[in-house]
Amino acid sequence: MLWHPFTQHTTWEEESFPVIDGAEGSWLVDVDGRRYLDGGSSMWCCSLGHGNPWVRRAIKRQVDKLEHATFLGLTNPPAIELAERLLALVPPGLSRVFYSDNGSTAVEIALKMALQYWGQNGRPSRAKFVALTQAYHGDTTGAMSVGGVDLFLERYRPLLFPVFQAPATYSYRCAKASTLEECGKHCLAELDEILSIHVDEVCGVILEPLVQGAGGMIVQPPGFAKAVENLCRKHDVFLVVDEVMTGFGRTGRMFACEHEDVRPDLMVISKGVTGGFLPLAATLATERIFKGFLGEFKDRKALYHGHTYTGNPLGCAAALGVLESFKKDRVLEPLPAKIEVLRKGLMPLVDHPNVGEIRQRGLLAGIEIVKDRATKESFPVEERTGHRIILEARKRGAILRPLADVLVVMPPLTSTRDEIRRLTGIVAKSVHAVLG
Ligand code: PLP
């Protein structure tokens, strides 16, 4: 009957799977009453855990007033208030908020904005993007085109448009450098070269700042995102930051950009913006970009993009509830201590012979499992090692989802320190259960 995302149904249906029917805080509850720690914040989205009272109240209030009114030609109070509040939080320079309903779509919008800006502001040859290898920006066609995870793209290549690819800071498997810092320098040099050669063709660089998520939790060395911004400034191309995963506290600050004072031209947010309550996304732009779309009606300079659910009042109300919770519950304050608990909790795995590398940034971690630590050889795909480990974790009361053989640990920001300890304990035990 159902068709699940990123799922081979032949094998999935051979396994039992929990049917989730309830949730509370950091816990998911299945129809049989079994409780599981939500170790990946439900696809990195439920950052405030489950059932946040601020968000619940905000949605309940809104649902009795207005569930939806089109944003094409109309506006609504929650959408206006949310834009004001977001603009007070995001990096300086961003001044316009364009709503949509998922991360991929918000990425598409950023790409269209960048392309169209140059097209109608004197540089029409600028029609290509630079993206990183291992990048993930979503599953719609444009978002896939700027993606770099081969497994997700290989079946769809005929649909995708060409991009220039700069290397990711995947130092663990970098042939040219042995440390993260060196790897970062090498990547920046290549990016600079691409931009120098193709400056007349490039409209922007798209980057997941600080950590590339679905590509394997690939962390960047300190200063990398800022250095990418500086290269964009040098060549006067746009920097598009995709904070769909890193935004809303995941890296320890509200936005990853804050760590390095990165000031993008376009910024994409989703996931944590409503903490999993309702689908909402936004593409934020600078005034320079916005002004590049102004003109006479007959000039046809408007952004030709919009969705039925653009500016949905319920989604915006949910996001206002999230921001209220961040403020009133001081969600960010205890994060340094929780981040340390996560780090310490994963320490026992550092010397495990099948743990190649543990990469952490804020309250997210990726554990790369390898067959041979010395050669960094991966396990054969058909062994599904990552999957077998998460099945063990499930038995022990935690829900996780690996990225191939990279185990992702990303608890809700509101998890208690004990819950994070418990989660990391389950991860360690599950690795031992499968690999000895
Ligand atoms: N960008 C990043 C960095 C993501 O991690 C994701 C999803 O995981 C997306 C974009 C796509 O978001 P969505 O799944 O809401 O389309």
Side-chain angles (χ1 to χ4, degrees), residues 66-102:
L66 170 69
E67 76 297 336
H68 187 63
T70 181
F71 220 55
L72 284 84
L74 301 176
T75 185
N76 66 72
I80 297 169
E81 190 185 340
L82 178 61
E84 275 168 11
R85 292 192 58 180
L86 284 174
L87 290 174
L89 291 171
V90 295
L94 297 168
S95 63
R96 298 282 163 172
V97 179
F98 191 101
Y99 292 117
S100 56
D101 41 35
N102 63 78

Coordinates of all heavy atoms in Angstrom, one line a residue, residues 66-102:
L66 N -7.4 31.1 11.2 CA -7.2 31.0 9.7 C -6.2 29.9 9.4 O -5.1 29.9 9.9 CB -6.6 32.3 9.2 CG -6.1 32.3 7.8 CD1 -7.3 32.3 6.8 CD2 -5.3 33.6 7.5
E67 N -6.7 28.9 8.7 CA -5.8 27.8 8.4 C -5.0 28.1 7.1 O -3.8 27.7 7.1 CB -6.6 26.4 8.2 CG -7.4 26.3 6.9 CD -8.5 27.3 6.7 OE1 -9.0 27.8 7.7 OE2 -8.9 27.5 5.5
H68 N -5.6 28.8 6.2 CA -4.8 29.1 5.0 C -5.5 30.2 4.2 O -6.7 30.2 4.1 CB -4.7 27.8 4.1 CG -3.7 28.0 2.9 ND1 -2.4 28.3 3.1 CD2 -4.0 28.0 1.6 CE1 -1.8 28.5 1.9 NE2 -2.8 28.3 1.0
A69 N -4.7 31.0 3.6 CA -5.2 31.9 2.6 C -4.0 32.1 1.6 O -2.9 32.2 2.1 CB -5.6 33.3 3.2
T70 N -4.3 32.1 0.3 CA -3.2 32.2 -0.6 C -2.3 33.4 -0.4 O -2.7 34.4 0.0 CB -3.7 32.2 -2.1 OG1 -2.5 32.2 -2.9 CG2 -4.5 33.4 -2.4
F71 N -1.0 33.2 -0.6 CA 0.0 34.2 -0.5 C 0.2 34.9 -1.8 O 1.0 35.9 -1.9 CB 1.3 33.6 0.0 CG 2.0 34.4 1.0 CD1 1.4 34.8 2.2 CD2 3.3 34.8 0.9 CE1 2.1 35.6 3.2 CE2 4.0 35.6 1.8 CZ 3.4 36.0 3.0
L72 N -0.5 34.4 -2.8 CA -0.4 35.1 -4.1 C -1.4 36.2 -4.1 O -2.6 36.0 -4.3 CB -0.7 34.1 -5.3 CG 0.5 33.2 -5.6 CD1 0.5 31.9 -4.7 CD2 0.4 32.7 -7.1
G73 N -1.0 37.4 -3.8 CA -1.9 38.5 -3.8 C -2.4 38.9 -2.5 O -3.1 39.9 -2.3
L74 N -2.2 38.0 -1.5 CA -2.7 38.3 -0.1 C -1.5 38.1 0.9 O -0.5 37.5 0.5 CB -3.8 37.3 0.3 CG -5.1 37.4 -0.6 CD1 -6.0 36.3 -0.1 CD2 -5.7 38.7 -0.5
T75 N -1.7 38.5 2.1 CA -0.7 38.2 3.1 C -1.4 37.9 4.4 O -2.7 37.9 4.4 CB 0.3 39.4 3.3 OG1 1.4 39.0 4.2 CG2 -0.3 40.6 3.8
N76 N -0.7 37.5 5.5 CA -1.4 37.1 6.7 C -0.5 37.5 7.9 O 0.8 37.5 7.7 CB -1.8 35.7 6.7 CG -0.7 34.7 6.6 OD1 0.0 34.5 7.6 ND2 -0.5 34.1 5.5
P77 N -1.1 37.7 9.1 CA -0.2 38.2 10.2 C 0.9 37.2 10.6 O 2.0 37.7 10.9 CB -1.3 38.4 11.3 CG -2.6 38.7 10.6 CD -2.5 37.8 9.3
P78 N 0.6 35.9 10.8 CA 1.8 35.0 11.2 C 2.9 35.1 10.2 O 4.1 35.1 10.6 CB 1.2 33.6 11.3 CG -0.3 33.8 11.3 CD -0.6 35.1 10.6
A79 N 2.6 35.2 8.9 CA 3.7 35.2 7.9 C 4.5 36.5 8.1 O 5.8 36.5 8.0 CB 3.2 35.1 6.5
I80 N 3.8 37.6 8.3 CA 4.5 38.9 8.5 C 5.4 38.9 9.8 O 6.5 39.2 9.8 CB 3.5 40.1 8.6 CG1 2.7 40.2 7.3 CG2 4.2 41.4 8.9 CD1 1.5 41.1 7.3
E81 N 4.7 38.4 10.9 CA 5.5 38.4 12.2 C 6.7 37.5 12.1 O 7.8 37.8 12.6 CB 4.5 38.0 13.3 CG 5.2 38.2 14.6 CD 4.3 37.7 15.8 OE1 3.1 37.5 15.6 OE2 4.9 37.5 16.9
L82 N 6.5 36.4 11.5 CA 7.6 35.4 11.4 C 8.8 36.0 10.6 O 9.9 35.9 11.0 CB 7.2 34.1 10.8 CG 8.3 33.1 10.6 CD1 8.9 32.7 11.9 CD2 7.8 31.8 9.9
A83 N 8.4 36.7 9.5 CA 9.5 37.3 8.7 C 10.3 38.3 9.5 O 11.5 38.3 9.5 CB 8.9 37.9 7.4
E84 N 9.6 39.1 10.3 CA 10.2 40.1 11.1 C 11.2 39.4 12.1 O 12.3 39.8 12.3 CB 9.2 40.9 11.9 CG 8.6 42.1 11.1 CD 7.4 42.7 11.8 OE1 7.1 42.3 12.9 OE2 6.7 43.5 11.1
R85 N 10.6 38.4 12.7 CA 11.4 37.7 13.8 C 12.6 37.0 13.2 O 13.7 36.9 13.8 CB 10.5 36.9 14.6 CG 9.6 37.7 15.4 CD 8.8 37.0 16.5 NE 9.7 36.4 17.5 CZ 9.2 35.7 18.5 NH1 7.9 35.6 18.7 NH2 10.0 35.2 19.4
L86 N 12.4 36.4 12.0 CA 13.6 35.6 11.4 C 14.7 36.6 11.1 O 15.8 36.4 11.3 CB 13.1 34.9 10.2 CG 12.3 33.6 10.4 CD1 11.8 33.1 9.0 CD2 13.2 32.5 11.1
L87 N 14.3 37.7 10.5 CA 15.3 38.7 10.0 C 16.1 39.3 11.2 O 17.2 39.7 11.0 CB 14.6 39.8 9.2 CG 14.1 39.4 7.8 CD1 13.3 40.5 7.1 CD2 15.2 38.9 6.9
A88 N 15.5 39.3 12.4 CA 16.3 39.7 13.5 C 17.3 38.7 14.0 O 18.2 39.0 14.7 CB 15.3 40.0 14.7
L89 N 17.2 37.5 13.5 CA 18.0 36.4 14.0 C 19.1 36.0 13.0 O 20.2 35.5 13.4 CB 17.2 35.1 14.3 CG 16.2 35.2 15.5 CD1 15.3 33.9 15.5 CD2 17.0 35.2 16.8
V90 N 18.8 36.1 11.7 CA 19.7 35.6 10.7 C 20.9 36.6 10.5 O 20.9 37.7 11.0 CB 19.0 35.4 9.3 CG1 17.9 34.3 9.5 CG2 18.4 36.7 8.8
P91 N 21.9 36.1 9.8 CA 23.1 37.0 9.6 C 22.7 38.4 8.9 O 21.8 38.4 8.2 CB 24.0 36.2 8.6 CG 23.6 34.8 8.8 CD 22.1 34.8 9.1
P92 N 23.5 39.4 9.3 CA 23.2 40.7 8.8 C 23.2 40.8 7.3 O 24.0 40.0 6.7 CB 24.3 41.6 9.4 CG 25.0 40.8 10.3 CD 24.6 39.4 10.2
G93 N 22.4 41.6 6.7 CA 22.4 41.7 5.2 C 21.2 41.1 4.6 O 20.7 41.5 3.6
L94 N 20.7 40.0 5.2 CA 19.5 39.4 4.7 C 18.3 40.2 5.1 O 18.1 40.6 6.3 CB 19.4 37.9 5.2 CG 20.5 37.0 4.8 CD1 20.5 35.7 5.6 CD2 20.4 36.7 3.3
S95 N 17.4 40.5 4.1 CA 16.3 41.4 4.4 C 15.0 41.0 3.8 O 14.0 41.7 4.0 CB 16.7 42.8 3.9 OG 16.8 42.8 2.5
R96 N 15.0 39.9 3.1 CA 13.7 39.5 2.5 C 13.5 38.0 2.7 O 14.5 37.2 2.7 CB 13.8 39.7 1.0 CG 13.9 41.2 0.6 CD 12.6 41.9 0.7 NE 12.8 43.4 0.8 CZ 11.8 44.3 0.7 NH1 10.6 43.9 0.6 NH2 12.1 45.5 0.8
V97 N 12.3 37.6 3.0 CA 11.9 36.2 3.3 C 10.9 35.7 2.3 O 9.8 36.3 2.1 CB 11.3 36.1 4.7 CG1 10.9 34.7 5.0 CG2 12.2 36.7 5.8
F98 N 11.3 34.7 1.6 CA 10.4 34.0 0.6 C 10.0 32.6 1.1 O 10.9 31.8 1.3 CB 11.1 33.9 -0.8 CG 10.2 33.5 -1.9 CD1 9.7 34.5 -2.8 CD2 9.8 32.2 -2.1 CE1 8.8 34.1 -3.8 CE2 8.9 31.9 -3.1 CZ 8.5 32.8 -4.0
Y99 N 8.8 32.4 1.4 CA 8.4 31.1 2.0 C 8.1 30.0 1.0 O 7.7 30.3 -0.1 CB 7.1 31.3 2.8 CG 7.2 32.2 4.0 CD1 6.5 33.4 4.1 CD2 8.0 31.8 5.1 CE1 6.6 34.2 5.2 CE2 8.1 32.6 6.2 CZ 7.4 33.8 6.3 OH 7.4 34.6 7.4
S100 N 8.4 28.8 1.5 CA 7.9 27.6 0.7 C 7.7 26.5 1.7 O 7.5 26.8 2.9 CB 9.0 27.3 -0.4 OG 10.2 27.1 0.2
D101 N 7.7 25.3 1.3 CA 7.3 24.3 2.3 C 8.3 23.1 2.5 O 7.9 22.2 3.3 CB 5.9 23.8 2.0 CG 5.7 23.6 0.5 OD1 6.7 23.2 -0.2 OD2 4.6 23.8 0.0
N102 N 9.4 23.1 1.9 CA 10.4 22.1 2.3 C 11.8 22.5 1.8 O 11.9 23.5 1.0 CB 10.1 20.7 1.6 CG 10.1 20.8 0.1 OD1 11.2 20.7 -0.5 ND2 9.0 20.9 -0.5

